[in-house]
Amino acid sequence: MQKIDVCISPELLHLYNIENSIVVVVDIFRATSCMTTAFANGVEAIIPVSSIDECVSYQQKGYLAAAERDGKTPEGFDFDNSPFSYMTEKVNGATICVTTTNGTLAITKSKSAVKVMVGSFLNLGALANYLKDQQYDILVLCAGWKGKPNLEDTLFAGALVERLQEEFMVEDDSALMALRQYELSKSDLLSFVASSSHVKRLQRLGIQKDIAYCLQHDLYDVLPVMRGNTLVKM
């Protein structure tokens, strides 16, 4: 029987054997929620890169581009890191290069996995239904914040563990801790994360509506997956 595990920070990824695993990267506030929303609104592909310079180089080649650092959008980019910015006709059929503080870095670190997928509460059900039939171990990689764990990504990991615990073994404490945290919080996630560092950071930037949106479950039946260096809709 395969197992499901949780890596609470990309800084700990070297402790896991991902060559025989499907890695689900999650950055709830807000990169992977944005990506899920973008695909739900017709994006053709997303190119995740780790640096702003890489993103600019794609933009100079004619691609649409989105960038975020410390919750803010540098000047000159087509999209910010709010999922609402992807709810537009402009994204339909487009390929967008994206760089964020945490999420795209976690994706680029995972490329040696059997498969890299993007997870969010928004596509939790679709993701769980797909993974139930897979014959590989599952590792949920939480993007965290600049190498540190964060609450919202860990809660998503717990939600996915909850949905897959009948099909996959839950052996390690990181997965068990995430599961227990989610079980405690799932009746009111918004209140549970209200005092978390990332929520406070977003509130200082006036981005309250993004917080509530990103915690909604099962809005979209989309499965973003890496093909080479590009995310596409499965």
Side-chain angles (χ1 to χ4, degrees):
M1 190 177 186
Q2 286 74 35
K3 71 174 183 176
I4 183 168
D5 204 354
V6 176
C7 178
I8 61 174
S9 164
E11 294 298 311
L12 300 175
L13 187 59
H14 66 280
L15 300 175
Y16 296 84
N17 175 21
I18 66 172
E19 284 74 17
N20 293 305
S21 301
I22 296 173
V23 173
V24 177
V25 177
V26 55
D27 184 354
I28 293 299
F29 297 144
R30 296 165 283 166
T32 60
S33 297
C34 285
M35 292 170 180
T36 301
T37 302
F39 280 109
N41 282 275
V43 158
E44 183 71 22
I46 293 174
I47 305 169
V49 297
S50 57
S51 74
I52 287 180
D53 287 344
E54 287 176 278
C55 200
V56 169
S57 70
Y58 274 97
Q59 191 177 36
Q60 290 171 343
K61 295 174 186 175
Y63 290 90
L64 295 174
E68 171 270 332
R69 286 296 182 273
D70 296 329
K72 302 175 184 178
T73 303
E75 290 186 11
F77 288 91
D78 302 288
F79 302 95
D80 59 22
N81 198 37
S82 169
F84 293 101
S85 69
Y86 294 91
M87 298 178 185
T88 170
E89 290 285 332
K90 185 178 180 180
V91 306
N92 191 31
T95 295
I96 304 174
C97 184
V98 178
T99 185
T100 68
T101 305
N102 306 291
T104 58
L105 182 62
I107 291 171
T108 57
K109 283 188 173 185
S110 305
K111 289 184 178 178
S112 62
V114 170
K115 188 176 292 181
V116 179
M117 304 187 72
V118 162
S120 67
F121 285 113
L122 303 172
N123 70 331
L124 174 62
L127 187 62
N129 287 336
Y130 171 78
L131 292 173
K132 282 178 181 179
D133 298 323
Q134 300 307 300
Q135 301 303 308
Y136 296 97
D137 290 340
I138 308 297
L139 179 68
V140 187
L141 174 58
C142 302
W145 178 261
K146 296 184 177 180
K148 298 178 181 179
N150 68 23
L151 184 57
E152 65 275 6
D153 294 351
T154 305
L155 289 174
F156 168 84
L160 190 58
V161 171
E162 183 186 64
R163 297 208 186 188
L164 295 177
Q165 61 185 327
E166 299 299 323
E167 290 82 17
F168 292 83
M169 293 184 293
V170 181
E171 289 186 331
D172 295 319
D173 285 356
S174 56
L176 184 61
M177 288 188 295
L179 174 61
R180 295 291 180 257
Q181 284 280 74
Y182 180 70
E183 289 173 338
L184 285 171
S185 66
K186 63 182 179 180
S187 63
D188 191 355
L189 282 181
L190 192 58
S191 295
F192 197 81
V193 303
S195 60
S196 67
S197 60
H198 209 154
V199 165
K200 290 178 179 178
R201 192 178 301 113
L202 293 175
Q203 287 175 333
R204 286 194 294 270
L205 295 170
I207 314 176
Q208 181 69 37
K209 68 176 184 176
D210 286 13
I211 298 167
Y213 172 83
C214 292
L215 295 176
Q216 295 179 96
H217 288 44
D218 304 334
L219 286 190
Y220 304 122
D221 186 21
V222 298
L223 294 171
V225 62
M226 286 293 288
R227 297 280 189 246
N229 293 320
T230 303
L231 280 166
V232 295
K233 186 177 176 181
M234 186 180 290

Tab-separated table of all heavy atoms in Angstrom, residues 87-147:
chain	number	residue	atom	x	y	z
A	87	MET	N	-9.661	36.159	-13.485
A	87	MET	CA	-11.061	35.986	-13.890
A	87	MET	C	-11.393	36.985	-14.997
A	87	MET	O	-12.213	37.895	-14.824
A	87	MET	CB	-11.983	36.171	-12.687
A	87	MET	CG	-11.767	35.154	-11.588
A	87	MET	SD	-12.858	35.476	-10.164
A	87	MET	CE	-12.284	34.232	-9.002
A	88	THR	N	-10.732	36.815	-16.120
A	88	THR	CA	-10.861	37.758	-17.221
A	88	THR	C	-10.684	37.041	-18.549
A	88	THR	O	-9.983	36.023	-18.622
A	88	THR	CB	-9.816	38.893	-17.103
A	88	THR	OG1	-9.814	39.661	-18.297
A	88	THR	CG2	-8.424	38.338	-16.888
A	89	GLU	N	-11.297	37.558	-19.585
A	89	GLU	CA	-11.162	36.992	-20.930
A	89	GLU	C	-9.710	36.975	-21.394
A	89	GLU	O	-9.325	36.165	-22.232
A	89	GLU	CB	-12.007	37.802	-21.917
A	89	GLU	CG	-13.509	37.644	-21.744
A	89	GLU	CD	-14.011	36.307	-22.269
A	89	GLU	OE1	-13.390	35.759	-23.197
A	89	GLU	OE2	-15.026	35.816	-21.740
A	90	LYS	N	-8.913	37.869	-20.830
A	90	LYS	CA	-7.509	38.002	-21.253
A	90	LYS	C	-6.722	36.712	-21.094
A	90	LYS	O	-5.777	36.443	-21.847
A	90	LYS	CB	-6.854	39.121	-20.437
A	90	LYS	CG	-5.434	39.478	-20.836
A	90	LYS	CD	-4.936	40.636	-19.975
A	90	LYS	CE	-3.514	41.026	-20.357
A	90	LYS	NZ	-3.020	42.158	-19.516
A	91	VAL	N	-7.109	35.871	-20.125
A	91	VAL	CA	-6.344	34.656	-19.854
A	91	VAL	C	-6.744	33.502	-20.761
A	91	VAL	O	-6.007	32.511	-20.876
A	91	VAL	CB	-6.471	34.218	-18.380
A	91	VAL	CG1	-6.099	35.345	-17.446
A	91	VAL	CG2	-7.869	33.696	-18.063
A	92	ASN	N	-7.885	33.599	-21.397
A	92	ASN	CA	-8.400	32.485	-22.189
A	92	ASN	C	-7.459	32.136	-23.342
A	92	ASN	O	-7.201	32.948	-24.219
A	92	ASN	CB	-9.788	32.822	-22.727
A	92	ASN	CG	-10.486	31.615	-23.318
A	92	ASN	OD1	-10.271	30.491	-22.871
A	92	ASN	ND2	-11.315	31.832	-24.308
A	93	GLY	N	-6.919	30.917	-23.323
A	93	GLY	CA	-6.003	30.463	-24.359
A	93	GLY	C	-4.583	30.962	-24.224
A	93	GLY	O	-3.732	30.674	-25.077
A	94	ALA	N	-4.279	31.694	-23.149
A	94	ALA	CA	-2.961	32.313	-22.992
A	94	ALA	C	-1.973	31.380	-22.293
A	94	ALA	O	-2.350	30.467	-21.557
A	94	ALA	CB	-3.083	33.605	-22.195
A	95	THR	N	-0.692	31.639	-22.543
A	95	THR	CA	0.385	31.051	-21.753
A	95	THR	C	0.989	32.164	-20.910
A	95	THR	O	1.356	33.222	-21.437
A	95	THR	CB	1.465	30.428	-22.642
A	95	THR	OG1	0.897	29.334	-23.364
A	95	THR	CG2	2.635	29.914	-21.814
A	96	ILE	N	1.076	31.944	-19.608
A	96	ILE	CA	1.510	32.974	-18.679
A	96	ILE	C	2.737	32.484	-17.908
A	96	ILE	O	2.737	31.376	-17.370
A	96	ILE	CB	0.391	33.331	-17.689
A	96	ILE	CG1	-0.881	33.752	-18.435
A	96	ILE	CG2	0.840	34.436	-16.738
A	96	ILE	CD1	-2.079	33.975	-17.528
A	97	CYS	N	3.759	33.311	-17.853
A	97	CYS	CA	4.923	33.016	-17.012
A	97	CYS	C	4.675	33.621	-15.638
A	97	CYS	O	4.242	34.773	-15.528
A	97	CYS	CB	6.187	33.591	-17.630
A	97	CYS	SG	7.682	33.157	-16.701
A	98	VAL	N	4.951	32.844	-14.590
A	98	VAL	CA	4.630	33.263	-13.225
A	98	VAL	C	5.832	33.055	-12.316
A	98	VAL	O	6.480	32.004	-12.350
A	98	VAL	CB	3.431	32.467	-12.669
A	98	VAL	CG1	3.140	32.869	-11.222
A	98	VAL	CG2	2.191	32.673	-13.530
A	99	THR	N	6.099	34.043	-11.471
A	99	THR	CA	7.064	33.872	-10.385
A	99	THR	C	6.476	34.440	-9.104
A	99	THR	O	5.846	35.497	-9.119
A	99	THR	CB	8.414	34.553	-10.696
A	99	THR	OG1	9.349	34.246	-9.643
A	99	THR	CG2	8.287	36.049	-10.844
A	100	THR	N	6.622	33.700	-8.010
A	100	THR	CA	6.115	34.157	-6.707
A	100	THR	C	7.173	33.901	-5.647
A	100	THR	O	8.161	33.200	-5.871
A	100	THR	CB	4.815	33.421	-6.320
A	100	THR	OG1	5.104	32.038	-6.064
A	100	THR	CG2	3.767	33.551	-7.415
A	101	THR	N	6.945	34.457	-4.471
A	101	THR	CA	7.920	34.344	-3.386
A	101	THR	C	8.162	32.891	-3.001
A	101	THR	O	9.307	32.478	-2.772
A	101	THR	CB	7.439	35.125	-2.148
A	101	THR	OG1	7.164	36.477	-2.518
A	101	THR	CG2	8.490	35.128	-1.051
A	102	ASN	N	7.101	32.091	-2.929
A	102	ASN	CA	7.221	30.741	-2.380
A	102	ASN	C	6.746	29.634	-3.321
A	102	ASN	O	7.414	28.619	-3.478
A	102	ASN	CB	6.421	30.655	-1.072
A	102	ASN	CG	6.811	31.724	-0.082
A	102	ASN	OD1	7.905	31.710	0.460
A	102	ASN	ND2	5.911	32.675	0.162
A	103	GLY	N	5.583	29.818	-3.951
A	103	GLY	CA	4.956	28.733	-4.693
A	103	GLY	C	5.746	28.251	-5.891
A	103	GLY	O	5.954	27.040	-6.064
A	104	THR	N	6.201	29.169	-6.736
A	104	THR	CA	6.915	28.723	-7.939
A	104	THR	C	8.273	28.136	-7.584
A	104	THR	O	8.766	27.248	-8.274
A	104	THR	CB	7.068	29.876	-8.944
A	104	THR	OG1	7.761	30.974	-8.335
A	104	THR	CG2	5.718	30.341	-9.449
A	105	LEU	N	8.870	28.615	-6.496
A	105	LEU	CA	10.138	28.029	-6.047
A	105	LEU	C	9.933	26.580	-5.630
A	105	LEU	O	10.745	25.697	-5.956
A	105	LEU	CB	10.702	28.845	-4.891
A	105	LEU	CG	12.055	28.381	-4.335
A	105	LEU	CD1	13.142	28.462	-5.409
A	105	LEU	CD2	12.448	29.225	-3.116
A	106	ALA	N	8.842	26.305	-4.917
A	106	ALA	CA	8.545	24.933	-4.506
A	106	ALA	C	8.312	24.035	-5.712
A	106	ALA	O	8.746	22.874	-5.744
A	106	ALA	CB	7.325	24.919	-3.590
A	107	ILE	N	7.652	24.567	-6.731
A	107	ILE	CA	7.411	23.782	-7.946
A	107	ILE	C	8.725	23.440	-8.633
A	107	ILE	O	8.969	22.291	-9.015
A	107	ILE	CB	6.472	24.545	-8.905
A	107	ILE	CG1	5.065	24.621	-8.321
A	107	ILE	CG2	6.431	23.874	-10.273
A	107	ILE	CD1	4.125	25.532	-9.083
A	108	THR	N	9.602	24.423	-8.786
A	108	THR	CA	10.861	24.176	-9.498
A	108	THR	C	11.767	23.216	-8.727
A	108	THR	O	12.565	22.508	-9.329
A	108	THR	CB	11.612	25.493	-9.772
A	108	THR	OG1	11.853	26.188	-8.546
A	108	THR	CG2	10.797	26.391	-10.698
A	109	LYS	N	11.616	23.155	-7.408
A	109	LYS	CA	12.420	22.230	-6.603
A	109	LYS	C	11.920	20.790	-6.704
A	109	LYS	O	12.611	19.866	-6.271
A	109	LYS	CB	12.408	22.662	-5.139
A	109	LYS	CG	13.311	23.835	-4.822
A	109	LYS	CD	13.376	24.073	-3.316
A	109	LYS	CE	14.422	25.127	-2.981
A	109	LYS	NZ	14.583	25.282	-1.510
A	110	SER	N	10.742	20.594	-7.269
A	110	SER	CA	10.095	19.275	-7.249
A	110	SER	C	10.222	18.512	-8.561
A	110	SER	O	9.611	17.455	-8.717
A	110	SER	CB	8.603	19.452	-6.924
A	110	SER	OG	8.427	20.152	-5.735
A	111	LYS	N	10.980	19.014	-9.503
A	111	LYS	CA	10.928	18.489	-10.863
A	111	LYS	C	11.429	17.059	-11.022
A	111	LYS	O	11.173	16.425	-12.040
A	111	LYS	CB	11.694	19.426	-11.804
A	111	LYS	CG	10.976	20.749	-12.030
A	111	LYS	CD	11.692	21.628	-13.027
A	111	LYS	CE	10.945	22.925	-13.269
A	111	LYS	NZ	11.660	23.810	-14.218
A	112	SER	N	12.130	16.526	-10.035
A	112	SER	CA	12.604	15.146	-10.146
A	112	SER	C	11.539	14.130	-9.739
A	112	SER	O	11.781	12.925	-9.798
A	112	SER	CB	13.863	14.943	-9.298
A	112	SER	OG	13.595	15.166	-7.922
A	113	ALA	N	10.380	14.596	-9.341
A	113	ALA	CA	9.296	13.689	-8.947
A	113	ALA	C	8.713	12.969	-10.159
A	113	ALA	O	8.900	13.389	-11.311
A	113	ALA	CB	8.194	14.467	-8.237
A	114	VAL	N	8.010	11.889	-9.904
A	114	VAL	CA	7.296	11.177	-10.973
A	114	VAL	C	6.342	12.124	-11.680
A	114	VAL	O	6.218	12.140	-12.910
A	114	VAL	CB	6.508	9.980	-10.388
A	114	VAL	CG1	5.583	9.381	-11.434
A	114	VAL	CG2	7.468	8.931	-9.851
A	115	LYS	N	5.659	12.945	-10.887
A	115	LYS	CA	4.701	13.907	-11.418
A	115	LYS	C	4.595	15.034	-10.412
A	115	LYS	O	4.630	14.805	-9.198
A	115	LYS	CB	3.343	13.229	-11.624
A	115	LYS	CG	2.300	14.038	-12.352
A	115	LYS	CD	1.038	13.196	-12.570
A	115	LYS	CE	1.293	12.061	-13.561
A	115	LYS	NZ	0.078	11.257	-13.808
A	116	VAL	N	4.467	16.267	-10.914
A	116	VAL	CA	4.260	17.427	-10.050
A	116	VAL	C	2.890	18.008	-10.383
A	116	VAL	O	2.611	18.339	-11.538
A	116	VAL	CB	5.349	18.494	-10.241
A	116	VAL	CG1	5.077	19.697	-9.320
A	116	VAL	CG2	6.733	17.918	-9.965
A	117	MET	N	2.054	18.132	-9.358
A	117	MET	CA	0.716	18.669	-9.535
A	117	MET	C	0.524	19.868	-8.623
A	117	MET	O	1.257	20.046	-7.650
A	117	MET	CB	-0.333	17.599	-9.248
A	117	MET	CG	-0.148	16.344	-10.096
A	117	MET	SD	-1.493	15.149	-9.902
A	117	MET	CE	-2.818	16.005	-10.784
A	118	VAL	N	-0.462	20.687	-8.951
A	118	VAL	CA	-0.758	21.887	-8.172
A	118	VAL	C	-2.045	21.662	-7.400
A	118	VAL	O	-3.063	21.257	-7.972
A	118	VAL	CB	-0.875	23.118	-9.093
A	118	VAL	CG1	-1.606	24.256	-8.400
A	118	VAL	CG2	0.511	23.571	-9.535
A	119	GLY	N	-1.992	21.920	-6.086
A	119	GLY	CA	-3.150	21.726	-5.243
A	119	GLY	C	-3.599	23.005	-4.571
A	119	GLY	O	-2.790	23.898	-4.279
A	120	SER	N	-4.900	23.089	-4.325
A	120	SER	CA	-5.497	24.190	-3.577
A	120	SER	C	-6.815	23.678	-3.017
A	120	SER	O	-7.322	22.630	-3.440
A	120	SER	CB	-5.736	25.404	-4.482
A	120	SER	OG	-6.734	25.118	-5.452
A	121	PHE	N	-7.374	24.398	-2.071
A	121	PHE	CA	-8.712	24.020	-1.620
A	121	PHE	C	-9.713	24.092	-2.763
A	121	PHE	O	-10.686	23.333	-2.807
A	121	PHE	CB	-9.167	24.932	-0.473
A	121	PHE	CG	-8.509	24.642	0.841
A	121	PHE	CD1	-7.636	25.561	1.404
A	121	PHE	CD2	-8.745	23.458	1.513
A	121	PHE	CE1	-7.014	25.304	2.624
A	121	PHE	CE2	-8.132	23.180	2.728
A	121	PHE	CZ	-7.259	24.110	3.285
A	122	LEU	N	-9.464	24.966	-3.715
A	122	LEU	CA	-10.387	25.184	-4.825
A	122	LEU	C	-10.552	23.948	-5.700
A	122	LEU	O	-11.600	23.744	-6.302
A	122	LEU	CB	-9.900	26.353	-5.684
A	122	LEU	CG	-9.695	27.684	-4.963
A	122	LEU	CD1	-9.035	28.694	-5.885
A	122	LEU	CD2	-11.028	28.229	-4.448
A	123	ASN	N	-9.505	23.117	-5.806
A	123	ASN	CA	-9.589	21.897	-6.617
A	123	ASN	C	-9.312	20.639	-5.795
A	123	ASN	O	-8.915	19.602	-6.325
A	123	ASN	CB	-8.639	21.964	-7.818
A	123	ASN	CG	-7.169	21.871	-7.437
A	123	ASN	OD1	-6.775	22.274	-6.331
A	123	ASN	ND2	-6.333	21.370	-8.339
A	124	LEU	N	-9.541	20.725	-4.492
A	124	LEU	CA	-9.245	19.623	-3.579
A	124	LEU	C	-9.948	18.331	-3.984
A	124	LEU	O	-9.333	17.259	-4.039
A	124	LEU	CB	-9.636	20.026	-2.156
A	124	LEU	CG	-9.541	18.951	-1.071
A	124	LEU	CD1	-8.116	18.462	-0.899
A	124	LEU	CD2	-10.091	19.501	0.256
A	125	GLY	N	-11.245	18.403	-4.271
A	125	GLY	CA	-11.992	17.194	-4.606
A	125	GLY	C	-11.511	16.540	-5.878
A	125	GLY	O	-11.331	15.315	-5.936
A	126	ALA	N	-11.286	17.341	-6.919
A	126	ALA	CA	-10.798	16.801	-8.190
A	126	ALA	C	-9.439	16.141	-8.008
A	126	ALA	O	-9.168	15.065	-8.553
A	126	ALA	CB	-10.718	17.920	-9.229
A	127	LEU	N	-8.589	16.783	-7.222
A	127	LEU	CA	-7.251	16.246	-6.982
A	127	LEU	C	-7.319	14.933	-6.207
A	127	LEU	O	-6.666	13.940	-6.571
A	127	LEU	CB	-6.435	17.286	-6.211
A	127	LEU	CG	-4.963	17.011	-5.989
A	127	LEU	CD1	-4.214	16.929	-7.310
A	127	LEU	CD2	-4.351	18.098	-5.111
A	128	ALA	N	-8.119	14.890	-5.161
A	128	ALA	CA	-8.243	13.671	-4.360
A	128	ALA	C	-8.798	12.524	-5.189
A	128	ALA	O	-8.317	11.384	-5.103
A	128	ALA	CB	-9.119	13.934	-3.142
A	129	ASN	N	-9.785	12.803	-5.999
A	129	ASN	CA	-10.378	11.748	-6.834
A	129	ASN	C	-9.374	11.184	-7.818
A	129	ASN	O	-9.355	9.974	-8.074
A	129	ASN	CB	-11.596	12.297	-7.579
A	129	ASN	CG	-12.785	12.511	-6.664
A	129	ASN	OD1	-12.899	11.880	-5.612
A	129	ASN	ND2	-13.677	13.417	-7.052
A	130	TYR	N	-8.533	12.036	-8.360
A	130	TYR	CA	-7.505	11.564	-9.288
A	130	TYR	C	-6.450	10.728	-8.552
A	130	TYR	O	-6.067	9.643	-9.012
A	130	TYR	CB	-6.838	12.743	-9.987
A	130	TYR	CG	-5.636	12.339	-10.797
A	130	TYR	CD1	-5.776	11.749	-12.051
A	130	TYR	CD2	-4.349	12.524	-10.291
A	130	TYR	CE1	-4.661	11.351	-12.785
A	130	TYR	CE2	-3.238	12.132	-11.022
A	130	TYR	CZ	-3.393	11.547	-12.263
A	130	TYR	OH	-2.289	11.146	-12.986
A	131	LEU	N	-5.995	11.216	-7.417
A	131	LEU	CA	-4.890	10.555	-6.716
A	131	LEU	C	-5.284	9.218	-6.119
A	131	LEU	O	-4.427	8.346	-5.915
A	131	LEU	CB	-4.359	11.480	-5.620
A	131	LEU	CG	-3.646	12.752	-6.109
A	131	LEU	CD1	-3.325	13.665	-4.929
A	131	LEU	CD2	-2.373	12.408	-6.886
A	132	LYS	N	-6.556	9.007	-5.850
A	132	LYS	CA	-7.010	7.747	-5.242
A	132	LYS	C	-6.592	6.524	-6.043
A	132	LYS	O	-6.365	5.450	-5.480
A	132	LYS	CB	-8.536	7.763	-5.092
A	132	LYS	CG	-9.040	8.574	-3.928
A	132	LYS	CD	-10.563	8.577	-3.872
A	132	LYS	CE	-11.065	9.417	-2.706
A	132	LYS	NZ	-12.547	9.468	-2.631
A	133	ASP	N	-6.482	6.666	-7.338
A	133	ASP	CA	-6.188	5.526	-8.210
A	133	ASP	C	-4.713	5.420	-8.589
A	133	ASP	O	-4.355	4.557	-9.401
A	133	ASP	CB	-7.022	5.624	-9.487
A	133	ASP	CG	-8.509	5.576	-9.201
A	133	ASP	OD1	-8.912	4.832	-8.289
A	133	ASP	OD2	-9.271	6.290	-9.881
A	134	GLN	N	-3.867	6.277	-8.052
A	134	GLN	CA	-2.461	6.275	-8.438
A	134	GLN	C	-1.672	5.229	-7.662
A	134	GLN	O	-1.972	4.930	-6.502
A	134	GLN	CB	-1.858	7.664	-8.232
A	134	GLN	CG	-2.549	8.752	-9.048
A	134	GLN	CD	-2.620	8.403	-10.519
A	134	GLN	OE1	-1.597	8.202	-11.176
A	134	GLN	NE2	-3.831	8.334	-11.057
A	135	GLN	N	-0.637	4.716	-8.305
A	135	GLN	CA	0.158	3.632	-7.720
A	135	GLN	C	1.491	4.117	-7.155
A	135	GLN	O	2.399	3.323	-6.927
A	135	GLN	CB	0.409	2.557	-8.780
A	135	GLN	CG	-0.857	1.963	-9.361
A	135	GLN	CD	-1.766	1.373	-8.291
A	135	GLN	OE1	-1.328	0.573	-7.474
A	135	GLN	NE2	-3.037	1.764	-8.303
A	136	TYR	N	1.613	5.400	-6.935
A	136	TYR	CA	2.824	5.987	-6.363
A	136	TYR	C	2.522	6.584	-4.994
A	136	TYR	O	1.368	6.884	-4.678
A	136	TYR	CB	3.375	7.098	-7.274
A	136	TYR	CG	3.831	6.625	-8.627
A	136	TYR	CD1	2.995	6.725	-9.730
A	136	TYR	CD2	5.097	6.067	-8.805
A	136	TYR	CE1	3.411	6.292	-10.983
A	136	TYR	CE2	5.526	5.639	-10.062
A	136	TYR	CZ	4.671	5.749	-11.140
A	136	TYR	OH	5.083	5.317	-12.379
A	137	ASP	N	3.577	6.755	-4.206
A	137	ASP	CA	3.428	7.512	-2.969
A	137	ASP	C	3.063	8.955	-3.309
A	137	ASP	O	3.391	9.468	-4.384
A	137	ASP	CB	4.733	7.501	-2.168
A	137	ASP	CG	5.065	6.140	-1.583
A	137	ASP	OD1	4.150	5.300	-1.445
A	137	ASP	OD2	6.250	5.906	-1.266
A	138	ILE	N	2.410	9.618	-2.361
A	138	ILE	CA	2.032	11.020	-2.513
A	138	ILE	C	2.793	11.841	-1.480
A	138	ILE	O	2.826	11.485	-0.292
A	138	ILE	CB	0.514	11.233	-2.286
A	138	ILE	CG1	-0.318	10.283	-3.155
A	138	ILE	CG2	0.141	12.697	-2.525
A	138	ILE	CD1	-0.163	10.491	-4.630
A	139	LEU	N	3.393	12.937	-1.920
A	139	LEU	CA	4.004	13.889	-1.005
A	139	LEU	C	3.378	15.253	-1.238
A	139	LEU	O	3.426	15.783	-2.351
A	139	LEU	CB	5.519	13.982	-1.206
A	139	LEU	CG	6.213	14.992	-0.277
A	139	LEU	CD1	6.156	14.515	1.173
A	139	LEU	CD2	7.660	15.234	-0.702
A	140	VAL	N	2.776	15.804	-0.199
A	140	VAL	CA	2.249	17.160	-0.268
A	140	VAL	C	3.365	18.100	0.158
A	140	VAL	O	3.857	18.026	1.292
A	140	VAL	CB	1.026	17.346	0.641
A	140	VAL	CG1	0.405	18.723	0.401
A	140	VAL	CG2	-0.004	16.247	0.406
A	141	LEU	N	3.786	18.972	-0.753
A	141	LEU	CA	4.859	19.923	-0.470
A	141	LEU	C	4.245	21.292	-0.193
A	141	LEU	O	3.697	21.929	-1.094
A	141	LEU	CB	5.840	19.996	-1.633
A	141	LEU	CG	6.934	21.065	-1.513
A	141	LEU	CD1	7.761	20.875	-0.242
A	141	LEU	CD2	7.834	21.050	-2.746
A	142	CYS	N	4.342	21.732	1.037
A	142	CYS	CA	3.825	23.040	1.430
A	142	CYS	C	4.864	24.108	1.100
A	142	CYS	O	6.021	24.009	1.530
A	142	CYS	CB	3.527	23.055	2.921
A	142	CYS	SG	2.335	21.802	3.459
A	143	ALA	N	4.453	25.121	0.365
A	143	ALA	CA	5.398	26.163	-0.036
A	143	ALA	C	5.862	26.995	1.150
A	143	ALA	O	6.992	27.490	1.174
A	143	ALA	CB	4.757	27.061	-1.096
A	144	GLY	N	4.987	27.158	2.152
A	144	GLY	CA	5.384	27.916	3.331
A	144	GLY	C	5.676	29.374	3.012
A	144	GLY	O	5.211	29.925	2.017
A	145	TRP	N	6.492	29.976	3.870
A	145	TRP	CA	6.871	31.378	3.676
A	145	TRP	C	8.364	31.541	3.915
A	145	TRP	O	8.847	31.445	5.030
A	145	TRP	CB	6.089	32.295	4.620
A	145	TRP	CG	6.478	33.745	4.480
A	145	TRP	CD1	7.329	34.453	5.284
A	145	TRP	CD2	6.066	34.647	3.445
A	145	TRP	NE1	7.466	35.739	4.812
A	145	TRP	CE2	6.693	35.880	3.699
A	145	TRP	CE3	5.214	34.519	2.339
A	145	TRP	CZ2	6.511	37.004	2.875
A	145	TRP	CZ3	5.027	35.633	1.522
A	145	TRP	CH2	5.671	36.852	1.788
A	146	LYS	N	9.101	31.699	2.829
A	146	LYS	CA	10.547	31.917	2.887
A	146	LYS	C	11.251	30.852	3.731
A	146	LYS	O	12.103	31.147	4.569
A	146	LYS	CB	10.857	33.319	3.409
A	146	LYS	CG	10.352	34.422	2.481
A	146	LYS	CD	10.763	35.792	2.974
A	146	LYS	CE	10.317	36.866	1.989
A	146	LYS	NZ	10.699	38.233	2.434
A	147	GLY	N	10.865	29.600	3.477
A	147	GLY	CA	11.504	28.474	4.155
A	147	GLY	C	10.839	28.049	5.443
A	147	GLY	O	11.110	26.953	5.950
